[in-house]
Amino acid sequence: MAIAEKYADRIDKHLSKYPDKRSAVMPLLYIVQEEYGWVSPEGIREVADICEMDATQVKSIAGFYTMYSEKPKGKFWLQVCTDMPCALRGADEFHKELKDYLGVEEGGTTEDGMFTVEHVMCLAACDKPPMLQCNFHFHENLDMEKMKVLIDEWRNEVNASVKSK
Amino acid sequence: MYIIFREKEVTDIHKFDVYMKNEGYDGLKKAIGMKPSEVIDEVKSSGLRGRGGAGFPTGVKWSFIPQNEPVKYVAVNADESEPGTFKDRQILENNPHQLIEGALICAYAIQAKAVYIYMRGEFWDVGHELDKCIDDAYKAGFAGKNILGSGWDCDVYTHLGAGAYICGEESALLNSLEGKLGQPRVRPPFPAQKGGGLYGEPTVVNNVETLANVPWIMRKGGAEFKKLGTEQSAGTKIFCLSGHVKNPGNYELEFGATFRELLYDHGGGPLDGHTFKAVLPSGASGPIVPLSDEVLDTPMTYEDTPKIDTIIGSASVIVMDDSTDIMWVASKVTKFFKHESCGKCTPCREGTYWIDKVLDRILSGEGAESDIDLVRNVAGNMQGTTLCALGDFAANPILYTIKHFPEDFKKHVNGESAPVRAAGD
Amino acid sequence: MVDIVREKEKVDTVTIIIDDVEYQVPKGSNLVDAAKWYADNDIPVFCYHPKMEPVGMCRMCLVELGMIEKDRATGEVVLNEDGQPKVRWFPKLQTACTQIVSDGMVVRTNTEVVEEARENVLEFLLTSHPLDCPICDKGGECPLQNLTMAYGPQGSRMNFADKMHLDKHVPLGDLIFLDEERCIQCGRCVRFQDEIVGDDVLAFHERGRTLQIITNSEPGFDTYFSGNTTDICPVGALTTADFRFGARPWELTEVPSICPHDAAGSNISLSVRLDRDFGGRAKIKRVMPRQNEYVNEIWISDKTRFGHHFTGSDRRLHVPLMRKGSSLIELDWTTAFNTFAELLQGANGDVAAIAGNGMSNEDLWELKQVMEKVGSDRLGAWSPTHGGAELVAQVGVGKGTNLGELGKGDAVLIIASDLEEEVPIWRLRLKRAHDQGAYVVVANVRPTRMDDFADVTLRYAVGQAATFMNSLKKDSKEVFEKLTGADNLVIVAGAEGLSLDGSRALAQAAANLLVDSGHVGKPNNGLLSPLPGPNGMGLHYLGFSPFTTQDIMANPPKVLIVAQLELIADDPSASAWLDKVETIISLNLFPDVVSEKDAKLILPIQSFAERDGTFTNGERRVQRFYTAQGPIGEALPAWQILSRVGEVLGAGRSKPSAAAVMLDIVNGVPAFEGMRYRDLSRIERQFPDVGGQDLYYGGTAYQNKGGLGVQIASVADSGDVAKGDVASADAPKAGKSQLVILPVTRLYNRESTFEPSMLVHPRIMEPYVELNSKDAKKLGIEQGDVVAVSADGAEVRVKAYVNGNAPEGTAIMPRHLASTATPLTLTVGEITKV
Ligand SMILES: Cc1cc2nc3c(=O)[nH]c(=O)nc-3n(C[C@H](O)[C@H](O)[C@H](O)COP(=O)(O)O)c2cc1C
Ligand code: SF4
Ligand code: FES
């Protein structure tokens, strides 16, 4: 179903915040990502219609910001901060161990489509390294031990939800 | 003593009722009892300066807004993307109402019709919590129509960015809010002027910490605030301490505190078996300084830091110990600015890309001595020629790391150091 | 954009100092423009373009900038100890392109720091640029290349191995290709589409060094103006499908010419080269804009740019032909002239001529002479669709009009015209008027693209345009008052959805409104009509009328001269009445049904590209075009053929040249007074100053060396204004099971002067008819069905579009999309699903 119907209330709320429709393009792109798992071409067209923008302009916005993904991602999008302050406290090593543990390259996704790992710039958590954000939720003061526990939890989460379906 | 981090004295101050029990929104009530111009004068008299980096006097900035314009806005800068900066997030998490109150006081002072709080997208959870706090403010009549019976209407909204450091630059922030590319605008016109602000209307852009100071100033008066700190640096400042120290974290200290106090008394000193080597007092974008005793005893103020050839900026103090290869630091920081350059202007777009290429070459052991001069020269050519300050920010780390730590570069070109994997790739 | 030439008269000036010399420049002008115009100082730019808003992106224009200090209290200039004014310099270099001049501004453009900054910016740009100039279309006329030579470093210190490798051949649309490696991210193309065209189908994608031009629109980058981006792109990143690697700029000769397609009369430059595959003759390699700020500024439509291939088409007629029984035999010209004369004489006066709108003023004059000689005044103008010409002659836009000046306080009414399709350049310029604050009203029976740039859009019943105009005061008071109360008012009155009489009536109603409100006889005021073809007004001034054509169709003559038009391809009813004509003499570019089936004599004529001549555009501007292309076979200019025939008929010696013909016109037609070729070739310095050595400033549009032309004064200009009564003209009534068929114009169609431009074919719509959903339901027709449309005694099969655009009871049907004729003017017909 198109986001216009499925998320009508949230979309109206966002539209009501700004004096013009174009300003709602960013919150709406998040909704597209939530619905399709990435900023898909049809999603872009839907936003273009709602915001009364040319689809070219919407794609332009989607491409400028790093939190919109123009390609499909794993269920859990792990973004490890490897910026200098975190890296001073071992973030690069942590990032590498994590990739090795999940068996993926930078930006790659595990075969089961569960995890995508990439490194990102400073996330404003420099006092709690190593840290990452998973689907935009922060996890700080990490090490691989804690990480393995989290990964299992996330796996179970998904399996559980699959069963319940 | 705490102006901002009141959670340290009052538990759960982030909760609306707790905040209300502790002089919550008294500042706003007081302000609304005054003329807007009087509010601006009060803030002027406090000596409050912008905490976003530039340190511009806040009251003066507000006074630039033309009163006769019918539509005006306040944009709260919560983009907090400077490496080493993590104070605004703590304010939003632990004392959100004080920011909302501060923003509303500012809005009243310039008679704005709306406040937009622009948060970096990564503050996803914080942002959604903040929406609830804003609802509380509406319910209590501090926001929305006819606020506290004053006949003045003002809405408060949050807006989440989506991962772009440049959107912390005020004009890029406004573009981003308008649903345009988050690239800086040509100035003049400045945000405070007609044609330069949000939707072309006069707009005040202030940092989170800046505005969080305002309720206190309204309650206690500008004069009281001016008493705190030093001549040119009034009040307290949150220092974000990260890197090679025992206790990294945010510390709210009265202006005048020295690097030594921060690094040792609060930061707990260097990690065991190490000694301090250098410090970046203003995040990745400021000039690096070798940590000498002279530096350690310098007060971390707007007026004193220039004496040691650096700035306090947003007070994001990143500490490096003797284990640190400063050339690696330069490379890391360059990768950040290359990744964050918006691409709008030539020197920044091409310069960051080029410098990064050459630094990688040096780190991989392929570089020549002349490459060091090349990056210094390229960085020099970026300085002062770009559309916004990001270009200068990107040049600083190169120029100052080479200036203060040439040997850390040389050892990579004369084979003394093993090749280093390009940082972060 | 502040046009500093015009502004100088209007606004007061300020004093600025450039490199120690004082200049008086108009307040509000841009520093780069002012320096160029008044100080002859070319500040290098890449992203700045004088027709667009400054963005300060490329940083090429960095200069030292300061202000003369004035004492706050007294306003007195503060002096140094040496008595010189004290200058407060900015600590950093500033971009000149983002500076608006102000009193006391001090600029240094020639210091070491500035030179260094320029060198640095160029070096930065070259770090990513491929430097493949030898194989680049832009090579030889490339701003980056030129500026690098002027200010650049001795090669880049960027190691080539470090360069980015990107896609060098991205089709942005059918006609434009992007080379990502060459793009320097100046944003000119993006801003052109957004600011000038108002259709933002281009944008930047990603950021930093990966910033790249994209389109994500459906269908990509194919607006009617896309080609202009290749002119303003300061590097070879954007190239047209037509010219990619076609020839090197320095091999080309530039010949001034006029667009042969519409009433705008866009000034163009034909780039020709002696070409082997063209028998060693001069061949048109590309069409470029030629600056005429009164007419097309520095822009041309894609039809103008890509629609030139018909001139070199191998379908062109090569030799004179005569019908002998069932076969056509070749004639030498002398025999042809004689036969022509005999055929005319044999008609003892029962002769008529219909002239196409592509004939030059000279052609028409000579045709008129021949007709007079044989005692006929039946001069028809093709096509019999637009009736407004004589009113344009009376109250058309005043002498000195420049549509680009319309703005705040002014008003524009566009009625019964789809301007984007009919005269795209007018639509572009009136969009600018809208952006500059003019009050724009669009009235039509259906939505059109121009609605996007209208302050108000109004609708009326099919055929009722004139009535609507007359009742405007009553029915839309506010609009009426805004229009009549405007400082300047221009009305564009077309013929869409009207009969010939209907369009005449509308023009009259518009004229009356203009006269009543005093908006005639002065610049930027009056009437415009989107007459088809490049010389619709020429037809009028030389005595050819569409009403005569109607009469000719009703009472066919014994002998008919058909000059540069294709009756049967245009008009379904033509073959019927042509049967009553005994002898047809056809002068044409291509063989058509008339010449193949009926014509007795078929004479090959030259296109506009092969000879000299003049057209009179919709603003009554008479403009010259020059010989560019080599001749095709034995084809001659129509004026020459007719002049020679005249000689045989005893009208005196034939004319040696088009210039000589124009002298006769000047003497014979009062309106053409003062229009000898040398008058028409006159030029003046125009703002902005494009086409000089500094291609980086304006782009590759050419400076006007062929003449700006001369505008014919309207009757109102010369002082007398008269109103006329509006004849009532009703639309044809559709019987039951019938619909009114409403023919409309599509810019891209299958007319013989456009069809040969193959590369535009993907953009020509397949034949269609637009139906209202109610009517469609009644007829049981659905979106996409193939339907048979029978009207004016012919049937065509086309695709049906069911949408809200067609008024109920009406079917909208574009002309010239099908291979056979579709209705030319408003009519009725049956539409059935097949
Ligand atoms: C590249 C760049 C990034 C910036 N990022 C931030 C930021 O994340 N947060 C912030 O408050 N100010 C940032 N600034 C400063 C803002 O432009 C602006 O000066 C500030 O928000 C003004 O608020 P203040 O006067 O309260 O400090 C940045 C400036 C530049 C040039
Ligand atoms: S394609 Fe040409 S005009 Fe467009 S941004 Fe690139 S260089 Fe500029
Ligand atoms: S910045 Fe001035 S021309 Fe590009």
Side-chain angles (χ1 to χ4, degrees):
Chain A
M1 176 164 56
I3 62 167
E5 295 90 60
K6 187 164 173 190
Y7 301 88
D9 298 356
R10 276 168 65 188
I11 291 173
D12 291 344
K13 193 164 185 307
H14 284 302
L15 288 170
S16 71
K17 280 160 54 171
Y18 314 96
D20 72 359
K21 292 195 156 99
R22 184 186 180 117
S23 300
V25 63
M26 291 182 72
L28 264 55
L29 280 171
Y30 277 124
I31 292 178
V32 164
Q33 195 154 267
E34 185 176 326
E35 173 64 14
Y36 301 100
W38 59 300
V39 177
S40 61
E42 68 263 51
I44 285 183
R45 275 191 297 280
E46 292 179 60
V47 173
D49 293 343
I50 299 170
C51 296
E52 291 166 11
M53 290 165 72
D54 190 290
T56 299
Q57 303 304 317
V58 179
K59 185 166 178 63
S60 172
I61 299 294
F64 185 83
Y65 299 97
T66 53
M67 288 173 72
Y68 301 125
S69 175
E70 293 185 281
K71 12 183 195 29
K73 288 263 190 282
K75 287 197 179 51
F76 298 93
W77 185 7
L78 308 183
Q79 297 175 297
V80 183
C81 173
T82 61
D83 213 340
M84 192 253 296
C86 279
L88 286 169
R89 305 300 294 267
D92 282 325
E93 294 69 14
F94 173 77
H95 173 226
K96 185 170 184 317
E97 285 178 54
L98 178 59
K99 283 187 295 184
D100 296 348
Y101 179 73
L102 290 170
V104 292
E105 288 299 302
E106 168 62 14
T109 303
T110 54
E111 261 126 33
D112 57 6
M114 201 73 88
F115 299 101
T116 300
V117 183
E118 67 189 26
H119 75 92
V120 293
M121 297 302 169
C122 182
L123 290 176
C126 321
D127 56 337
K128 306 186 183 63
M131 65 81 61
L132 58 69
Q133 70 174 359
C134 171
N135 300 345
F136 307 158
H137 306 300
F138 280 21
H139 301 270
E140 300 167 307
N141 293 322
L142 292 170
D143 54 41
M144 273 318 285
E145 292 321 303
K146 293 187 194 159
M147 210 46 228
K148 289 171 185 163
V149 178
L150 278 171
I151 289 171
D152 293 340
E153 280 175 15
W154 286 328
R155 279 225 167 84
N156 300 337
E157 227 176 84
V158 173
N159 300 338
S161 70
V162 173
K163 282 202 200 66
S164 67
K165 284 220 181 71
Chain B
M1 84 134 254
Y2 297 107
I3 292 179
I4 307 287
F5 285 164
R6 291 174 64 205
E7 71 267 24
K8 297 190 188 294
E9 290 164 344
V10 186
T11 40
D12 290 344
I13 187 115
H14 64 277
K15 298 205 176 114
F16 180 69
D17 52 345
V18 178
Y19 186 70
M20 288 311 289
K21 283 202 202 69
N22 293 272
E23 307 171 279
Y25 289 94
D26 287 357
L28 178 63
K29 291 178 191 143
K30 179 136 177 251
I32 284 178
M34 302 159 62
K35 286 210 222 62
S37 59
E38 294 169 346
V39 177
I40 294 178
D41 293 338
E42 196 63 47
V43 174
K44 270 190 188 163
S45 72
S46 74
L48 175 65
R49 294 172 65 166
R51 306 297 197 225
F56 192 86
T58 305
V60 177
K61 181 184 273 189
W62 297 5
S63 66
F64 290 155
I65 299 291
Q67 289 97 341
N68 47 359
E69 285 298 333
V71 180
K72 310 177 210 80
Y73 293 106
V74 173
V76 181
N77 193 336
D79 193 56
E80 189 159 67
S81 306
E82 175 75 31
T85 316
F86 44 90
K87 62 195 178 62
D88 296 341
R89 175 172 153 230
Q90 185 170 334
I91 298 171
L92 293 164
E93 278 172 349
N94 298 350
N95 196 1
H97 283 288
Q98 193 163 316
L99 166 67
I100 297 168
E101 183 182 359
L104 280 162
I105 294 171
C106 172
Y108 175 77
I110 66 162
Q111 290 294 293
K113 97 188 258 293
V115 173
Y116 288 92
I117 304 175
Y118 187 102
M119 278 172 285
R120 64 178 298 175
E122 294 86 346
F123 289 177
W124 188 262
D125 295 334
V126 192
H128 289 85
E129 283 307 309
L130 190 64
D131 284 333
K132 298 187 193 131
C133 302
I134 292 171
D135 293 342
D136 295 332
Y138 267 92
K139 287 199 205 79
F142 298 135
K145 295 256 162 295
N146 186 21
I147 294 169
L148 297 171
S150 65
W152 162 64
D153 307 339
C154 184
D155 288 304
V156 182
Y157 304 112
T158 58
H159 180 98
L160 280 167
Y165 168 64
I166 190 61
C167 292
E169 192 283 333
E170 56 191 12
S171 65
L173 180 150
L174 298 175
N175 276 343
S176 183
L177 251 172
E178 293 177 16
K180 304 189 181 129
L181 274 192
Q183 295 180 321
R185 297 174 178 175
V186 168
R187 277 151 300 164
F190 294 92
Q193 299 168 310
K194 179 78 180 172
L198 187 59
Y199 305 109
E201 305 296 348
T203 303
V204 165
V205 183
N206 271 135
N207 168 259
V208 169
E209 183 186 354
T210 311
L211 290 170
N213 276 292
V214 172
W216 193 99
I217 293 172
M218 288 321 289
R219 289 202 311 273
K220 304 248 193 334
E224 278 306 303
F225 191 86
K226 190 89 185 63
K227 286 192 196 134
L228 302 167
T230 67
E231 178 52 33
Q232 291 174 48
S233 313
T236 65
K237 178 79 190 81
I238 297 170
F239 296 89
C240 312
L241 183 60
S242 66
H244 293 138
V245 289
K246 284 215 180 69
N247 319 320
N250 280 316
Y251 298 97
E252 179 178 2
L253 310 176
E254 199 172 329
F255 264 120
T258 62
F259 284 100
R260 192 184 297 279
E261 287 170 63
L262 179 66
L263 269 56
Y264 286 91
D265 306 356
H266 302 283
L271 302 174
D272 298 338
H274 288 283
T275 58
F276 289 140
K277 180 174 185 176
V279 60
L280 277 162
S282 180
S285 63
I288 193 168
V289 279
L291 261 180
S292 61
D293 280 330
E294 182 209 355
V295 170
L296 282 167
D297 292 320
T298 305
M300 300 179 290
T301 62
Y302 295 108
E303 58 267 48
D304 294 295
T305 41
K307 296 176 192 149
I308 54 167
D309 196 17
T310 187
I311 56 168
I312 195 59
S314 55
S316 321
V317 183
I318 308 170
V319 188
M320 288 149 262
D321 67 20
D322 49 10
S323 70
T324 316
D325 174 350
I326 299 298
M327 161 136 195
W328 171 88
V329 172
S331 163
K332 265 288 185 193
V333 175
T334 300
K335 292 201 180 293
F336 173 80
F337 288 113
K338 172 188 151 205
H339 184 263
E340 300 302 334
S341 170
C342 79
K344 185 170 182 176
C345 76
T346 307
C348 175
R349 180 184 68 238
E350 304 294 337
T352 51
Y353 167 74
W354 189 5
I355 292 174
D356 178 55
K357 284 273 185 193
V358 181
L359 289 183
D360 281 358
R361 191 158 72 218
I362 300 175
L363 281 175
S364 68
E366 304 289 304
E369 180 114 23
S370 61
D371 285 338
I372 302 172
D373 303 328
L374 179 58
V375 286
R376 192 205 282 114
N377 181 279
V378 172
N381 293 348
M382 284 166 66
Q383 264 199 331
T385 63
T386 51
L387 179 62
C388 82
L390 192 143
D392 301 320
F393 291 2
N396 281 336
I398 299 300
L399 295 170
Y400 284 87
T401 49
I402 296 179
K403 177 179 177 193
H404 293 303
F405 302 93
E407 60 290 345
D408 283 31
F409 286 77
K410 290 214 180 62
K411 70 170 189 268
H412 289 280
V413 293
N414 54 30
E416 286 167 36
S417 150
V420 178
R421 193 170 99 281
D425 291 352
Chain C
M1 177 192 68
V2 176
D3 180 328
I4 56 188
V5 189
R6 274 185 265 114
E7 289 305 318
K8 187 146 188 195
E9 301 132 27
K10 293 201 212 114
V11 310
D12 38 357
T13 60
V14 296
T15 308
I16 65 174
I17 300 173
I18 303 175
D19 299 336
D20 305 322
V21 185
E22 270 196 14
Y23 300 93
Q24 305 291 324
V25 305
K27 200 167 170 187
S29 49
N30 179 289
L31 177 56
V32 173
D33 298 339
K36 186 176 180 58
W37 192 268
Y38 294 102
D40 206 353
N41 182 326
D42 294 343
I43 298 172
V45 298
F46 283 118
C47 67
Y48 178 67
H49 189 284
K51 293 269 180 195
M52 299 189 276
E53 290 298 315
V55 286
M57 288 167 71
C58 75
R59 320 305 287 175
M60 188 62 199
C61 65
L62 289 168
V63 293
E64 287 184 66
L65 192 73
M67 268 308 214
I68 290 179
E69 253 183 67
K70 290 217 175 83
D71 184 294
R72 279 227 168 51
T74 64
E76 289 296 311
V77 172
V78 183
L79 300 180
N80 286 329
E81 30 306 326
D82 62 4
Q84 289 301 316
K86 188 148 175 281
V87 177
R88 205 175 342 96
W89 294 98
F90 280 83
K92 296 176 178 181
L93 296 177
Q94 301 292 312
T95 46
C97 73
T98 60
Q99 308 301 326
I100 299 303
V101 295
S102 61
D103 237 329
M105 182 181 265
V106 189
V107 189
R108 290 208 185 120
T109 70
N110 56 3
T111 57
E112 216 163 280
V113 245
V114 173
E115 300 273 321
E116 213 180 286
R118 291 173 181 176
E119 182 177 332
N120 294 339
V121 170
L122 281 163
E123 184 180 35
F124 277 129
L125 289 173
L126 296 177
T127 58
S128 320
H129 201 74
L131 301 176
D132 53 356
C133 309
I135 56 150
C136 179
D137 286 348
K138 207 84 167 192
E141 53 181 17
C142 172
L144 181 58
Q145 204 177 25
N146 298 358
L147 284 177
T148 304
M149 293 182 187
Y151 307 104
Q154 314 314 336
S156 170
R157 293 171 290 169
M158 180 74 171
N159 172 333
F160 248 89
D162 293 345
K163 291 216 179 195
M164 283 193 144
H165 293 290
L166 303 162
D167 194 335
K168 293 184 69 65
H169 190 6
V170 185
L172 289 177
D174 295 313
L175 303 173
I176 306 295
F177 292 87
L178 167 67
D179 181 326
E180 294 185 334
E181 285 184 356
R182 290 182 191 155
C183 172
I184 60 167
Q185 287 81 19
C186 74
R188 276 183 174 186
C189 53
V190 175
R191 285 177 287 135
F192 172 81
Q193 273 309 123
D194 182 23
E195 292 175 33
I196 308 282
V197 180
D199 190 6
D200 52 358
V201 295
L202 292 180
F204 282 116
H205 190 239
E206 302 206 341
R207 69 192 191 199
R209 189 57 202 85
T210 50
L211 201 65
Q212 217 45 271
I213 296 296
I214 58 151
T215 183
N216 185 43
S217 309
E218 263 315 312
F221 178 33
D222 75 343
T223 67
Y224 287 161
F225 307 96
S226 63
N228 295 294
T229 56
T230 65
D231 294 331
I232 58 175
C233 177
V235 291
L238 294 180
T239 47
T240 70
D242 205 15
F243 190 60
R244 287 189 105 249
F245 313 126
R248 324 290 300 138
W250 56 84
E251 307 168 342
L252 300 171
T253 313
E254 295 302 325
V255 182
S257 192
I258 300 296
C259 167
H261 292 298
D262 67 36
S266 293
N267 290 207
I268 55 178
S269 182
L270 300 177
S271 309
V272 298
R273 186 183 68 176
L274 299 182
D275 197 294
R276 214 178 294 94
D277 0 339
F278 200 59
R281 291 161 302 164
K283 185 173 196 291
I284 299 173
K285 302 301 288 185
R286 65 177 187 181
V287 175
M288 302 286 276
R290 177 170 56 108
Q291 181 178 32
N292 189 335
E293 289 298 317
Y294 294 103
V295 176
N296 55 302
E297 303 178 32
I298 57 172
W299 316 123
I300 55 175
S301 75
D302 285 2
K303 185 172 187 175
T304 307
R305 188 181 301 265
F306 301 113
H308 64 84
H309 299 85
F310 75 94
T311 66
S313 158
D314 42 25
R315 275 195 63 247
R316 289 279 303 275
L317 288 165
H318 282 241
V319 288
L321 298 167
M322 184 165 76
R323 189 172 305 282
K324 269 256 175 355
S326 61
S327 63
L328 290 169
I329 59 158
E330 297 191 358
L331 300 180
D332 62 78
W333 273 114
T334 322
T335 324
F337 299 141
N338 296 333
T339 322
F340 196 144
E342 285 158 19
L343 290 171
L344 292 179
Q345 280 156 331
N348 46 43
D350 189 2
V351 182
I354 304 178
N357 51 42
M359 294 195 98
S360 74
N361 295 317
E362 296 75 6
D363 301 337
L364 296 168
W365 170 262
E366 289 302 327
L367 179 53
K368 185 163 183 268
Q369 301 316 303
V370 167
M371 292 296 284
E372 273 176 15
K373 197 68 196 156
V374 295
S376 167
D377 59 359
R378 299 184 77 190
L379 306 177
W382 197 255
S383 60
T385 50
H386 290 63
E390 69 265 45
L391 287 148
V392 173
Q394 286 173 34
V395 298
V397 288
K399 212 163 156 48
T401 288
N402 181 335
L403 297 178
E405 285 174 358
L406 293 169
K408 207 141 199 41
D410 305 333
V412 178
L413 167 62
I414 300 162
I415 180 166
S417 168
D418 184 350
L419 216 49
E420 170 118 346
E421 302 290 335
E422 296 176 22
V423 193
I425 286 295
W426 285 358
R427 117 86 168 104
L428 198 72
R429 304 195 75 204
L430 292 175
K431 183 255 179 198
R432 176 177 162 192
H434 167 77
D435 295 347
Q436 289 171 175
Y439 174 71
V440 176
V441 180
V442 174
N444 203 338
V445 297
R446 62 175 187 129
T448 62
R449 180 73 213 286
M450 198 63 206
D451 294 0
D452 300 356
F453 312 108
D455 299 84
V456 184
T457 57
L458 300 169
R459 300 273 175 262
Y460 52 82
V462 175
Q464 295 311 307
T467 331
F468 166 85
M469 271 296 268
N470 286 335
S471 53
L472 198 58
K473 185 172 189 171
K474 181 159 52 57
D475 301 344
S476 326
K477 202 161 181 311
E478 194 200 339
V479 173
F480 178 83
E481 279 163 5
K482 280 214 171 104
L483 291 174
T484 52
D487 302 343
N488 300 293
L489 172 62
V490 169
I491 299 182
V492 183
E496 187 177 287
L498 299 170
S499 63
L500 182 63
D501 295 328
S503 64
R504 171 73 176 67
L506 169 61
Q508 185 65 66
N512 292 352
L513 184 145
L514 287 160
V515 171
D516 283 335
S517 62
H519 288 106
V520 294
K522 44 187 183 179
N524 303 334
N525 285 277
L527 186 64
L528 279 175
S529 174
L531 302 172
N535 204 25
M537 284 311 291
L539 281 163
H540 166 75
Y541 281 111
L542 290 148
F544 294 76
S545 158
F547 294 93
T548 313
T549 306
Q550 257 187 343
D551 170 63
I552 293 170
M553 294 160 84
N555 320 297
K558 190 150 177 276
V559 176
L560 177 68
I561 302 174
V562 180
Q564 201 173 341
L565 65 123
E566 296 179 359
L567 280 172
I568 292 176
D570 282 4
D571 177 9
S573 73
S575 26
W577 63 265
L578 275 174
D579 291 345
K580 307 203 191 74
V581 178
E582 214 169 88
T583 312
I584 299 173
I585 300 168
S586 165
L587 291 74
N588 222 339
L589 296 164
F590 301 99
D592 70 326
V593 188
V594 173
S595 45
E596 276 156 2
K597 291 233 292 304
D598 314 312
K600 176 84 177 161
L601 200 58
I602 303 140
L603 306 175
I605 57 171
Q606 291 183 346
S607 78
F608 80 108
E610 299 134 60
R611 39 74 170 261
D612 287 16
T614 59
F615 290 138
T616 308
N617 79 356
E619 300 177 82
R620 302 185 323 282
R621 182 172 293 268
V622 181
Q623 307 189 101
R624 284 189 69 177
F625 53 84
Y626 298 69
T627 305
Q629 178 181 279
I632 299 281
E634 297 175 19
L636 293 175
W639 66 261
Q640 196 176 359
I641 297 169
L642 293 157
S643 176
R644 296 288 293 277
V645 172
E647 187 172 0
V648 177
L649 291 168
R653 291 190 89 286
S654 67
K655 291 283 164 293
S657 67
V661 179
M662 181 52 91
L663 279 179
D664 285 4
I665 301 178
V666 170
N667 300 327
V669 185
F672 281 72
E673 198 195 328
M675 302 222 179
R676 292 156 313 172
Y677 273 15
R678 85 169 88 98
D679 305 311
L680 301 177
S681 323
R682 219 170 277 125
I683 52 177
E684 63 191 44
R685 191 181 179 198
Q686 302 183 86
F687 178 83
D689 230 329
V690 306
Q693 274 316 298
D694 56 335
L695 293 165
Y696 50 82
Y697 180 67
T700 44
Y702 281 86
Q703 221 168 39
N704 198 321
K705 299 218 171 84
L708 298 174
V710 177
Q711 200 181 5
I712 296 172
S714 72
V715 176
D717 282 328
S718 16
D720 62 47
V721 291
K723 287 171 63 179
D725 350 339
V726 179
S728 68
D730 279 342
K733 295 265 166 298
K736 55 202 304 299
S737 82
Q738 278 188 319
L739 289 177
V740 172
I741 312 276
L742 192 157
V744 297
T745 304
R746 297 279 330 195
L747 188 67
Y748 295 147
N749 57 38
R750 300 199 173 275
E751 282 179 294
S752 57
T753 51
F754 190 61
E755 164 94 336
S757 293
M758 305 297 280
L759 80 167
V760 192
H761 284 193
R763 290 165 68 179
I764 302 177
M765 305 276 283
E766 58 180 302
Y768 68 90
V769 60
E770 268 180 60
L771 296 173
N772 179 296
S773 43
K774 285 214 191 71
D775 300 321
K777 196 182 238 89
K778 277 203 218 99
L779 300 165
I781 295 168
E782 284 177 5
Q783 182 73 285
D785 286 352
V786 175
V787 297
V789 181
S790 45
D792 297 351
E795 180 189 292
V796 277
R797 300 189 162 206
V798 301
K799 218 144 158 251
Y801 284 106
V802 180
N803 58 27
N805 293 352
E808 203 175 340
T810 309
I812 292 168
M813 190 163 190
R815 304 181 184 102
H816 301 120
L817 291 186
S819 49
T820 59
T822 57
L824 193 59
T825 52
L826 205 56
T827 180
V828 299
E830 286 80 22
I831 297 184
T832 49
K833 182 170 176 173
V834 295

